[in-house]
Amino acid sequence: MSRPVRLGGNGISYHIAIAGAGPAGLAMALYLRRAGHRVTIFERFEEPKPVGSGLILQPTGLTVLADLGLLDDIMALGSRIDRLHGADASTGRTVLDVCYDAQHGGRFGLAVHRAALFGVLFRAARRETIAIETGVEIETLDIGDRATLVRGNGRRAGPFDLVVDASSSRSKLRQCAGNARAPRPLTYGALWASLDWRGEGFDEHALLQRYDKASVMIGVLPIGRPEPGSERMAAFFWSLKPADADAVRNLGIDAWKERVVRLWPQVEAFTNQIGSFDQLSLARYGHHTMKSPVGRRLAVIGDAAHSTSPQLGQGANMALLDAAALSHALERTGSVEAALEGYAKARRWHVRAFQALSLAFTPFYQSDSVALPFIRDRLVATIAKIPPAPRFLASMVAGTVIDPFRRVGLAEARWPDRVAE
């Protein structure tokens, strides 16, 4: 269901360009269009499309989708997640057990295929007749009284009152904010695939993982359907160093599958679906946090402003919160400059807190360390059972350790009891 157009409290309508037609850019465009602004999305691909496998929409991201009127659409496709569980591959000892119900309010996560999230947002953008120009690589901005986009071929677009950079961690535009650094590559990435759901013996409402120290992490996540009417799927992933990917491939797919099944026999139902490495994609991760996600007539949102390991699963959720925050700031202020200041202030502490938490926790699960997984398996796993640790861990996964809602003008959604299967 679409929302009615509502001009901001000052009644001002801006001409706004958005770089990137991913979840951040599409959510941003919907907010802006419904607030009465003129919006154009510029996408570097010839056809907008999702990139990646599965993710968990946390209560934070679900609240934004509810605010956009899209909660029912995404819940009809996703798979409800009530817990995250991880065990040592050799001993079976539980070393991670996070339950959403350790918090109040009936919270849960919703695991979705990236194609499902993209599709829900993209169809909504089409209904709103938002202009999307494809095959456009934006190189930089020319800032005068207004902002002009400079394309890779030298052509220009604009001028615009505001440019929103939602072009992912590969962004070129963020350099125009004057405080950006290139993401620092993280040592570990992952091989992943979207496979048919073969869930016998698996909890269909949980993210399940197995660890071999911190150098190997195997995961299975039920992610629902990529589109209405399709079959249910799972995201399957295996952590490794991108630098080691060629060596793994050279050993052959059968050798790799044998190693996976030796560590976790039950996943043979998924590895049997993989016939070659062509079915697996290699994900590389980097960490960066902009000191300030704004510049002159420029707002940077999503992975372009802050990216990190997916260990806490916050990426898409943080991007959706960014879009809500910038929309709220534009609605409440009388100028682009004031709105940019309000957006940066609204997101500062929530972003910094979760970037720091992700950086701190990732080495316990993805690193070459011997000491950290020893501590994780014996000390952390024990402490995690003692109140108030369960509630803290649940709020960390849910993205609510620091309240993200009040400063971005949202009231947390109340969740239905069930998700359609």
Side-chain angles (χ1 to χ4, degrees):
M1 179 182 294
S2 62
R3 293 289 187 90
V5 169
R6 60 177 192 271
L7 287 176
N10 50 36
I12 300 173
S13 178
Y14 297 116
H15 188 193
I16 300 174
I18 299 173
L26 291 170
M28 188 77 259
L30 288 169
Y31 269 121
L32 295 175
R33 176 74 166 180
R34 293 171 183 180
H37 302 293
R38 181 182 170 193
V39 182
T40 303
I41 299 175
F42 295 88
E43 169 57 47
R44 65 186 179 89
F45 291 116
E46 292 296 334
E47 181 179 350
K49 59 184 179 181
V51 178
S53 179
L55 59 89
I56 300 179
L57 288 168
Q58 305 295 354
T60 48
L62 290 171
T63 293
V64 175
L65 292 174
D67 192 50
L68 288 169
L70 302 175
L71 184 62
D72 289 344
D73 292 344
I74 195 64
M75 288 182 68
L77 296 174
S79 179
R80 174 175 174 146
I81 300 298
D82 293 316
R83 66 195 289 249
L84 282 60
H85 184 270
D88 180 85
S90 59
T91 66
R93 179 192 295 116
T94 294
V95 298
L96 174 72
D97 195 4
V98 180
C99 297
Y100 284 89
D101 65 7
Q103 308 170 92
H104 299 300
R107 292 172 177 164
F108 56 82
L110 187 77
V112 298
H113 196 293
R114 287 183 184 272
L117 177 59
F118 173 84
V120 165
L121 290 165
F122 187 70
R123 288 189 290 272
R126 286 301 196 201
R127 290 194 297 270
E128 302 280 349
T129 63
I130 293 169
I132 302 178
E133 294 192 23
T134 60
V136 179
E137 186 78 48
I138 304 299
E139 294 290 333
T140 188
L141 298 180
D142 186 0
I143 304 292
D145 291 336
R146 299 171 78 195
T148 300
L149 296 176
V150 181
R151 307 185 187 196
N153 59 10
R155 296 180 61 187
R156 292 169 173 257
F160 300 97
D161 299 300
L162 173 65
V163 174
V164 180
D165 179 10
S167 57
S168 81
S169 58
R170 298 176 57 185
S171 166
K172 297 178 181 179
L173 282 183
R174 63 169 168 246
Q175 302 298 328
C176 300
N179 67 92
R181 296 178 180 177
R184 174 173 62 84
L186 296 179
T187 304
Y188 275 80
L191 288 172
W192 60 264
S194 295
L195 305 170
D196 293 337
W197 173 249
R198 298 287 185 266
E200 186 175 351
F202 287 82
D203 183 346
E204 63 180 343
H205 297 299
L207 165 60
L208 299 178
Q209 298 175 330
R210 293 293 183 272
Y211 315 112
D212 182 12
K213 300 183 174 60
S215 58
V216 170
M217 177 171 63
I218 312 168
V220 174
L221 175 67
I223 55 176
R225 299 172 174 84
E227 59 185 13
S230 60
E231 295 299 317
R232 295 170 62 197
M233 302 191 76
F236 177 84
F237 55 90
W238 163 280
S239 68
L240 86 168
K241 298 178 182 178
D244 294 340
D246 286 342
V248 171
R249 292 189 183 101
N250 289 338
L251 290 174
I253 191 68
D254 291 334
W256 174 76
K257 289 165 62 174
E258 182 182 351
R259 185 183 179 195
V260 174
V261 172
R262 186 170 64 250
L263 291 170
W264 194 0
Q266 291 85 351
V267 299
E268 191 168 11
F270 296 103
T271 59
N272 280 344
Q273 300 179 49
I274 302 172
S276 75
F277 283 113
D278 292 339
Q279 291 175 251
L280 296 162
S281 297
L282 177 61
R284 303 170 187 268
Y285 307 125
H287 185 95
H288 84 107
T289 309
M290 293 182 69
K291 183 177 180 181
S292 175
V294 300
R296 189 178 175 196
R297 297 200 176 274
L298 173 66
V300 188
I301 68 173
D303 283 352
H306 42 75
S307 63
T308 191
S309 161
Q311 191 62 46
L312 292 184
Q314 298 298 321
N317 300 282
M318 300 281 268
L320 292 170
L321 285 169
D322 290 347
L326 180 55
S327 172
H328 181 67
L330 285 165
E331 187 175 345
R332 293 298 182 92
T333 56
S335 69
V336 168
E337 292 77 11
L340 290 172
E341 182 180 351
Y343 159 62
K345 183 177 180 181
R347 294 295 292 133
R348 181 175 298 128
W349 291 112
H350 187 258
V351 167
R352 289 182 179 179
F354 277 90
Q355 291 293 95
L357 285 169
S358 182
L359 195 62
F361 273 80
T362 293
F364 286 89
Y365 297 91
Q366 289 183 308
S367 71
D368 294 326
S369 173
V370 175
L372 291 179
F374 181 87
I375 294 170
R376 175 197 71 196
D377 295 354
R378 290 158 179 81
L379 180 60
V380 175
T382 300
I383 294 175
K385 301 175 183 177
I386 304 172
R391 185 172 182 179
F392 172 79
L393 290 172
S395 64
M396 184 172 67
V397 168
T400 56
V401 168
I402 292 178
D403 178 13
F405 301 114
R406 181 175 58 86
R407 287 186 177 273
V408 305
L410 293 176
E412 184 177 4
R414 295 187 177 276
W415 310 117
D417 293 332
R418 299 181 65 183
V419 177
E421 292 293 349

